[in-house]
Amino acid sequence: MNITREDKDQLNSVVKINIEKEDYSPKVEKVLKDYRKTANIPGFRKGMVPMGMIKKQYGQAVLVDEVNKLLQDSLNSYITEEKLDILGNPLPKPQDDLNWDADDYTFEFELGLAPEFDVTLEGEGPVTYYNISADEEMIDNQIKTIQRQYGKLVTQEEVKEEYTVVGTFHNVEEGIENEATFKVEDIDGKTNKKELLGAKVGDQVTLKSNKLFKDDETLARHLGVEKVKAEGLKVDLTFTIKEINEQILAELNQELFDKAFGEGEVTSEKEAREKIAEQSKQTFQQQGDQQFFNDVTEHLIEKANIDLPSEFLQKWLQTQGEKQLNEEEAKEEYEKSEKGIKYQLIEAKIAKDNDLKVEVEDVKKVAKEKIKMQMMQFGQMDFPEDQMDGIVQNLMSNQEQVRQFSEEVMVQKLLELYKDKMEVKEKEVTYKEFVDTIYK
């Protein structure tokens, strides 16, 4: 066997593999002998079928199979030994005239090579890190939410603006009959709201589906239909009122503070507002981290100036997946994924240059944090350690789950590295200012 490589340019190579008869013949002979031992052909006892008949019936199929195995093994070994950093998988060049009756064969494979580039984290200009906080309006709304949560519902007889109604929507033609609960203030159209205000328990009011609620998703949920059906729906709906409730807000007193924040943690409205602001800042930190990570990613891709073997990758994309892509589809898919490929290369280089590794203990730690958060949502604050270890062990047997946790670990390690190595410009913003800045 002889393997040679021709570099077309810095990003594309062609590997030529010459396979001779002595490379594959012993393996083919062995397989055919094994076939002979077990072949069940009428007129011959098992193990006594003439080898000539075995070769005639199975010879070429075995030959093709063994040559392909040898080809893949030798190509993979060559790539490893030569330390070639390739993108995608090797693509075999078409050979329509391949003669399997010959003794020797030649195959060629196209390779897309990963580019060489440098990544510098220091001295490339500042990247903004947003320290996000809640504004007064957001804190006001959270105080109201807490008051509603620990308040009480008082049954009323007549619908008013600030009340909540329970009832059933009907429309025979559209097959709609669904019980819904909503606040009167959530009604979007003035005409609909006018119909509802002043109505009593047991009354039936006619409401227009068009612009009944703020969006199609809310409308679909209250009507009990698919969102696609709610889109553009213009029908009259009969709404039969079953209950009318007034939400009485809980008083801002020590009893409420103890329920909402823990006994003795907060003793005044001022402290409650400070606590909400503190908790919000912790919650928003994740969004600040994510945005910083995204901005650094864009920054590194732009500065690295990476060239890719685009033609090769588009050809490779045509062969991937269950559905074969045509040239236009592959080009479109490549354009969507080009930036992602570049960042994967950048991330791998940064991790290698800075010796960033994902250890098993790192993954287990993330798994434990996820479990604790889930348990806390169900009110279980102190989950037994022995039970925790069992759940973690079970999660670690799921390869997809381990992959996701490993990615989270690496992102966190990269985030810490970026904060440490790069020039960071911190900016204090409210959540509203952050949203207006990022999503303008």
Side-chain angles (χ1 to χ4, degrees):
M1 183 186 299
N2 184 39
I3 304 179
T4 58
R5 184 175 88 245
E6 179 185 357
D7 293 330
K8 299 297 183 181
D9 53 43
Q10 291 183 324
L11 300 174
N12 295 276
S13 290
V14 174
V15 171
K16 182 183 289 187
I17 302 178
N18 294 314
I19 294 180
E20 299 175 348
K21 187 173 184 179
E22 61 256 29
D23 297 322
Y24 61 81
S25 186
K27 293 181 180 179
V28 171
E29 290 297 323
K30 182 180 183 308
V31 172
L32 290 175
K33 285 179 181 179
D34 290 340
Y35 271 38
R36 188 186 181 210
K37 292 176 184 177
T38 58
N40 189 5
I41 296 177
F44 298 95
R45 285 183 296 163
K46 185 176 289 188
M48 300 301 292
V49 180
M51 182 56 79
M53 184 174 290
I54 294 292
K55 286 184 177 181
K56 184 176 181 181
Q57 189 162 345
Y58 303 109
Q60 190 173 84
V62 172
L63 169 66
V64 171
D65 189 43
E66 291 303 318
V67 168
N68 279 328
K69 288 179 184 176
L70 182 62
L71 198 57
Q72 291 303 318
D73 289 345
S74 57
L75 180 59
N76 291 337
S77 297
Y78 177 80
I79 290 171
T80 301
E81 290 165 6
E82 294 294 312
K83 298 179 180 178
L84 298 179
D85 191 2
I86 67 171
L87 299 177
N89 294 318
L91 289 178
K93 282 194 167 185
Q95 286 183 280
D96 297 331
D97 58 347
L98 182 62
N99 180 15
W100 286 104
D101 291 329
D103 290 337
D104 303 334
Y105 312 103
T106 299
F107 301 90
E108 291 184 334
F109 293 85
E110 296 179 68
L111 304 183
L113 306 179
E116 294 185 5
F117 59 93
D118 294 318
V119 179
T120 305
L121 298 180
E122 300 93 342
E124 287 290 342
V127 179
T128 301
Y129 183 90
Y130 294 96
N131 288 313
I132 310 167
S133 59
D135 57 24
E136 291 303 311
E137 182 182 357
M138 183 173 284
I139 294 174
D140 288 341
N141 290 335
Q142 185 59 28
I143 289 286
K144 283 285 190 297
T145 298
I146 292 171
Q147 287 181 282
R148 280 194 292 268
Q149 181 181 352
Y150 294 99
K152 58 183 179 180
L153 288 177
V154 177
T155 301
Q156 300 291 350
E157 289 298 320
E158 184 178 310
V159 176
K160 292 186 179 179
E161 178 80 35
E162 65 273 16
Y163 291 176
T164 298
V165 294
V166 180
T168 304
F169 283 107
H170 305 268
N171 182 284
V172 176
E173 291 78 10
E174 297 293 336
I176 295 171
E177 182 161 351
N178 191 63
E179 186 172 295
T181 302
F182 55 87
K183 295 177 183 178
V184 177
E185 62 192 40
D186 292 339
I187 297 295
D188 197 39
K190 291 181 180 179
T191 303
N192 283 328
K193 188 173 289 188
K194 185 178 177 182
E195 287 290 323
L196 199 55
L197 291 172
K200 295 179 172 56
V201 173
D203 285 355
Q204 288 188 337
V205 296
T206 300
L207 304 174
K208 304 286 186 182
S209 64
N210 187 33
K211 295 184 178 179
L212 179 56
F213 295 102
K214 61 181 178 179
D215 55 50
D216 292 330
E217 190 172 340
T218 305
L219 178 64
R221 186 174 72 254
H222 288 316
L223 298 187
V225 299
E226 297 291 331
K227 183 183 175 183
V228 66
K229 183 173 181 177
E231 293 172 355
L233 183 67
K234 294 182 180 181
V235 295
D236 287 342
L237 299 162
T238 300
F239 183 68
T240 305
I241 300 173
K242 182 179 178 182
E243 294 179 26
I244 302 170
N245 297 307
E246 179 184 7
Q247 175 80 57
I248 305 296
L249 300 180
E251 290 185 30
L252 289 172
N253 55 26
Q254 192 59 49
E255 182 183 358
L256 175 62
F257 298 148
D258 288 345
K259 288 178 179 177
F261 302 104
E263 191 170 346
E265 291 292 320
V266 167
T267 60
S268 66
E269 182 180 349
K270 180 175 180 293
E271 289 183 9
R273 297 178 73 86
E274 290 172 352
K275 189 74 170 178
I276 291 169
E278 178 190 335
Q279 291 172 342
S280 298
K281 202 169 184 65
Q282 292 173 356
T283 302
F284 293 146
Q285 183 181 348
Q286 187 174 4
Q287 287 178 270
D289 283 347
Q290 186 61 59
Q291 189 58 46
F292 177 72
F293 191 89
N294 293 345
D295 290 343
V296 171
T297 297
E298 293 290 339
H299 179 83
L300 293 176
I301 291 173
E302 182 182 346
K303 294 293 182 181
N305 193 25
I306 297 173
D307 290 325
L308 296 174
S310 56
E311 289 186 18
F312 168 84
L313 289 172
Q314 288 176 51
K315 287 170 66 176
W316 174 69
L317 284 169
Q318 287 183 262
T319 68
Q320 301 306 297
E322 297 179 2
K323 179 191 173 187
Q324 297 289 304
L325 303 180
N326 59 38
E327 287 186 20
E328 191 62 33
E329 290 171 331
K331 182 180 179 181
E332 184 179 340
E333 185 64 27
Y334 171 75
E335 288 172 352
K336 290 179 184 175
S337 57
E338 182 180 12
K339 192 174 285 188
I341 296 170
K342 288 182 179 181
Y343 183 70
Q344 286 177 357
L345 293 170
I346 291 171
E347 181 182 301
K349 183 168 179 59
I350 291 173
K352 181 180 179 182
D353 291 348
N354 293 275
D355 197 29
L356 300 183
K357 297 176 182 176
V358 176
E359 307 290 352
V360 173
E361 289 307 312
D362 295 329
V363 178
K364 287 183 177 180
K365 184 178 178 181
V366 170
K368 283 189 176 184
E369 288 172 356
K370 299 282 187 188
I371 295 167
K372 284 180 181 178
M373 287 175 64
Q374 272 193 322
M375 292 301 105
M376 286 172 66
Q377 289 177 357
F378 293 103
Q380 194 164 354
M381 311 307 273
D382 297 314
F383 196 68
E385 196 66 28
D386 57 339
Q387 292 184 38
M388 175 80 74
D389 291 338
I391 297 174
V392 169
Q393 197 62 38
N394 188 47
L395 286 174
M396 294 296 287
S397 66
N398 185 321
Q399 290 187 353
E400 179 60 24
Q401 195 73 74
V402 170
R403 183 190 66 77
Q404 290 179 12
F405 290 159
S406 298
E407 287 179 358
E408 287 186 39
V409 171
M410 181 54 70
V411 166
Q412 193 58 42
K413 287 178 180 284
L414 288 166
L415 187 61
E416 292 170 4
L417 180 71
Y418 295 158
K419 288 180 179 180
D420 180 54
K421 297 284 188 181
M422 300 191 74
E423 184 182 349
V424 181
K425 178 184 176 182
E426 295 194 25
K427 186 174 182 179
E428 304 290 332
V429 294
T430 65
Y431 183 72
K432 184 178 186 305
E433 290 170 338
F434 173 74
V435 170
D436 289 345
T437 300
I438 301 304
Y439 301 105
K440 61 184 177 181

